Amino acid sequence: MIDWYLSLRRASVKHRLWALAVLVLCWLGTIQQWHNLHADLAIARWLARADVVGAVFLTPMLLVILFGGRVPRALIRDSSSLRKTIPQIHSEIRREHQERENRSRWF
């Protein structure tokens, strides 16, 4: 578990601010929808439940960013990978295959 945690990229100040903003907005929305959990209107109940479930599932990931200082891989956006040309992509794949082959010979 600790090796997975340490393999994550460190959170920048920007990541932490976004995590805080999303966490606050998510839980404010949940608090506002809380009284609709037992409403007579079915769509209001459904939206309130979706809001609560979303808050419960997002909170651990956002707390890892805020207090743990690490960013889960699902949230990392690498814009440089979108600017690569096809020859650059092929050379990276070739290099990865070569590294894998060298490691297999090492064992």
Side-chain angles (χ1 to χ4, degrees), residues 18-100:
W18 273 107
L20 180 64
V22 170
L23 186 66
V24 167
L25 288 175
C26 189
W27 279 102
L28 281 177
T30 300
I31 291 168
Q32 288 177 348
Q33 292 292 328
W34 191 259
H35 68 279
N36 287 335
L37 284 173
H38 302 290
D40 291 334
L41 194 58
I43 190 72
R45 282 193 314 267
W46 185 83
L47 287 172
R49 289 177 187 153
D51 206 1
V52 170
V53 168
V56 167
F57 279 116
L58 283 177
T59 298
M61 182 173 49
L62 296 172
L63 290 177
V64 166
I65 296 171
L66 280 175
F67 299 119
R70 301 289 179 160
V71 181
R73 287 184 185 92
L75 299 179
I76 295 176
R77 187 177 60 164
D78 189 15
S79 62
S80 65
S81 64
L82 298 176
R83 295 188 182 113
K84 291 181 184 174
T85 62
I86 291 178
Q88 289 172 331
I89 294 170
H90 284 297
S91 68
E92 284 184 9
I93 292 171
R94 206 173 308 117
R95 187 183 75 244
E96 289 173 2
H97 283 289
Q98 185 65 35
E99 289 174 2
R100 189 177 306 129

